[in-house]
Amino acid sequence: MSGRDEELHSLYESAISSFKASISVILIGTTFLLPALLFTEIGPLATVENLKSYGIIIPITLLLQVVSLFVGESSRALGMPQHYVPMFVFNNATSLPLLLITALSTTGSLDGLVPINDTLAAVLKRGRVYILINSLVGNLTRFGLGPYLMKTHRESFWAHPHHDDPDHEPALLISGSSIRLPETESDAGISGDPTKREKIQQALQKAQTFVVVALNPPLIGGFLAIFFGIIPWFHRQLFNSSGWLTPVADSVANVGNLYTALQMFVLGAHLYSKKGSGSQPLLLVWLFAYRFFIAPAIAIGMIYGIRKTWPNLIDDDPILDFVLMISNAGPPALTLSAIAEMADLSADVEGAISRIITLSYAVTPLIAFPVTAALEVVRHSRDGTL
């Protein structure tokens, strides 16, 4: 073997080993680290009291996601690629809002949302709880439906086995002189309309496929957090500083904290190794316009309308109104890159998703506009000038 051939063989083996290492890191992240992170984030908040007190946040969050899903699916019907749909539905609902309200409290922008006989520290604490409750719903729906929404599902639900076969002729005469005999029950599933039994089997197969896709490790981690959180004894022992099982929760938290840093490396690896196809500028403009302007406008209008029409439906707390107004704003969730891996998409699509997410965070300063609008709407609605 010549020196040139040896060099090429070495590069090939290096590429293969790098690919295997990347796949191993991704599997570790989505199978172990991310479920641990969700367990430690959701568990302390998953109490019966929180679910009762902040229950209104859950249906509002789900309603906003349904609206975004409708917009995404409508755009897909007009020719937009399928993998864009989750980017319309799932935004960064945890780290970015938490950073936002912390920065706003430092600059004094939240002072107008502090009620009489209340303190900025108490308002900020409640705001963080509202954001985390909203992210709880977002995390569960993102990892439950995200892998399914990433994939293309174009086949008909009751598609016949030969529906796309041009050579299959259901007519009585198959050729010039051959006559098709009447079907029996045994061959009814091979040609003709599917029987009731086949329809039931197809429906069960569809349901099984959906359950297998939906019940992924991150979603299981979220459900376990809710299960142990709503049981008082487990909540005290796991998530209180003096509980017997606190060391277990701390260990899980340490494992989960590795995910964020690891995900940044994975995203960078995707940008380097998975070139992907270039995204159309018009699609990016539409996605960013929705995520930074249209989606928050819908949320602001919805919360303002609810507050004016049913004033007692939502707790009378300005910071709650503000959090709900900005809950649907911002770039797509960073974890959509992991969901793309879970959906087993092609390398080109994964690379395209990584690039879109990176570009969305490059234009994240645009969130200043909906944040300012939400602050003004809350202030003026409180003093009766709006």
Side-chain angles (χ1 to χ4, degrees), residues 39-40 237-239 245-254:
F39 183 85
T40 55
Q237 302 304 328
L238 273 171
F239 304 115
L245 300 177
T246 299
V248 176
D250 291 341
S251 300
V252 175
N254 291 333

Side-chain angles (χ1 to χ4, degrees), residues 255-271:
V255 172
N257 289 336
L258 297 173
Y259 176 77
T260 303
L262 181 66
Q263 192 62 28
M264 295 301 295
F265 283 108
V266 170
L267 185 61
H270 283 187
L271 292 174

Side-chain angles (χ1 to χ4, degrees), residues 144-145 148-149 204-215:
L145 298 177
Y148 183 80
L149 294 177
L204 291 176
Q205 186 176 6
K206 283 277 187 179
Q208 180 183 5
T209 301
F210 178 80
V211 170
V212 170
V213 172
L215 286 180

Side-chain angles (χ1 to χ4, degrees), residues 32-61:
F32 299 104
L33 304 187
L34 185 55
L37 178 63
L38 294 177
F39 183 85
T40 55
E41 281 189 352
I42 295 174
L45 298 172
T47 63
V48 176
E49 292 76 13
N50 278 349
L51 295 179
K52 288 181 179 179
S53 302
Y54 313 133
I56 190 61
I57 299 176
I58 298 175
I60 289 178
T61 300

Side-chain angles (χ1 to χ4, degrees), residues 184-244:
T184 63
E185 290 186 2
S186 61
D187 58 14
I190 300 177
S191 60
D193 294 332
T195 63
K196 289 184 178 181
R197 181 178 181 181
E198 287 177 330
K199 290 182 178 181
I200 295 175
Q201 289 176 345
Q202 291 175 5
L204 291 176
Q205 186 176 6
K206 283 277 187 179
Q208 180 183 5
T209 301
F210 178 80
V211 170
V212 170
V213 172
L215 286 180
N216 48 65
L219 187 63
I220 293 173
F223 279 138
L224 287 176
I226 295 176
F227 174 78
F228 287 109
I230 62 177
I231 300 177
W233 187 88
F234 279 113
H235 193 279
R236 288 194 304 269
Q237 302 304 328
L238 273 171
F239 304 115
N240 287 349
S241 57
S242 58
W244 291 353

Side-chain angles (χ1 to χ4, degrees), residues 47-114:
T47 63
V48 176
E49 292 76 13
N50 278 349
L51 295 179
K52 288 181 179 179
S53 302
Y54 313 133
I56 190 61
I57 299 176
I58 298 175
I60 289 178
T61 300
L62 292 175
L63 181 58
L64 290 173
Q65 288 184 342
V66 169
V67 172
S68 298
L69 178 60
F70 174 78
V71 174
E73 287 293 343
S74 299
S75 301
R76 184 197 63 78
L78 295 175
M80 186 185 71
Q82 178 72 38
H83 61 267
Y84 275 77
V85 174
M87 300 185 198
F88 278 84
V89 182
F90 306 114
N91 62 302
N92 187 325
T94 307
S95 58
L96 184 60
L98 289 174
L99 289 173
L100 272 176
I101 65 167
T102 302
L104 292 172
S105 66
T106 302
T107 60
S109 300
L110 292 183
D111 293 346
L113 306 186
V114 180

Side-chain angles (χ1 to χ4, degrees), residues 91-385:
N91 62 302
N92 187 325
T94 307
S95 58
L96 184 60
L98 289 174
L99 289 173
L100 272 176
I101 65 167
T102 302
L104 292 172
S105 66
T106 302
T107 60
S109 300
L110 292 183
D111 293 346
L113 306 186
V114 180
I116 301 175
N117 300 325
D118 207 344
T119 63
L120 179 61
V123 168
L124 189 61
K125 183 177 180 180
R126 292 200 305 274
R128 289 192 180 113
V129 173
Y130 297 148
I131 289 172
L132 291 174
I133 293 293
N134 175 70
S135 70
L136 183 153
V137 180
N139 284 329
L140 292 179
T141 55
R142 188 184 314 138
F143 289 99
L145 298 177
Y148 183 80
L149 294 177
M150 279 282 184
K151 292 185 175 182
T152 303
H153 308 277
R154 299 194 183 279
E155 64 274 10
S156 173
F157 191 84
W158 302 116
H160 188 267
H162 302 288
H163 74 283
D164 56 352
D165 185 1
D167 297 327
H168 178 74
E169 300 181 21
L172 182 65
L173 294 176
I174 296 180
S175 61
S177 59
S178 59
I179 299 177
R180 189 177 192 176
L181 296 177
E183 294 178 354
T184 63
E185 290 186 2
S186 61
D187 58 14
I190 300 177
S191 60
D193 294 332
T195 63
K196 289 184 178 181
R197 181 178 181 181
E198 287 177 330
K199 290 182 178 181
I200 295 175
Q201 289 176 345
Q202 291 175 5
L204 291 176
Q205 186 176 6
K206 283 277 187 179
Q208 180 183 5
T209 301
F210 178 80
V211 170
V212 170
V213 172
L215 286 180
N216 48 65
L219 187 63
I220 293 173
F223 279 138
L224 287 176
I226 295 176
F227 174 78
F228 287 109
I230 62 177
I231 300 177
W233 187 88
F234 279 113
H235 193 279
R236 288 194 304 269
Q237 302 304 328
L238 273 171
F239 304 115
N240 287 349
S241 57
S242 58
W244 291 353
L245 300 177
T246 299
V248 176
D250 291 341
S251 300
V252 175
N254 291 333
V255 172
N257 289 336
L258 297 173
Y259 176 77
T260 303
L262 181 66
Q263 192 62 28
M264 295 301 295
F265 283 108
V266 170
L267 185 61
H270 283 187
L271 292 174
Y272 178 78
S273 62
K274 298 179 180 180
K275 303 304 180 184
S277 56
S279 301
Q280 298 181 17
L282 186 60
L283 290 179
L284 294 178
V285 170
W286 169 230
L287 173 63
F288 297 158
Y290 181 79
R291 284 262 48 98
F292 291 99
F293 298 105
I294 301 175
I298 293 172
I300 291 172
M302 180 185 297
I303 302 305
Y304 176 78
I306 292 175
R307 180 63 71 190
K308 290 298 182 181
T309 308
W310 302 285
N312 297 325
L313 185 62
I314 305 177
D315 289 345
D316 189 15
D317 190 351
I319 191 64
L320 174 58
D321 291 358
F322 175 70
V323 168
L324 291 175
M325 288 179 179
I326 67 169
S327 64
N328 202 31
L334 185 65
T335 49
L336 288 177
S337 178
I339 290 176
E341 292 287 348
M342 295 163 58
D344 195 23
L345 302 179
S346 66
D348 285 345
V349 175
E350 290 178 10
I353 291 173
S354 299
R355 277 167 172 70
I356 295 171
I357 293 175
T358 303
L359 287 174
S360 69
Y361 281 87
V363 299
T364 293
L366 293 173
I367 202 174
F369 295 101
V371 167
T372 302
L375 286 172
E376 292 300 317
V377 169
V378 173
R379 287 171 182 164
H380 289 294
S381 62
R382 297 287 297 181
D383 59 25
T385 59

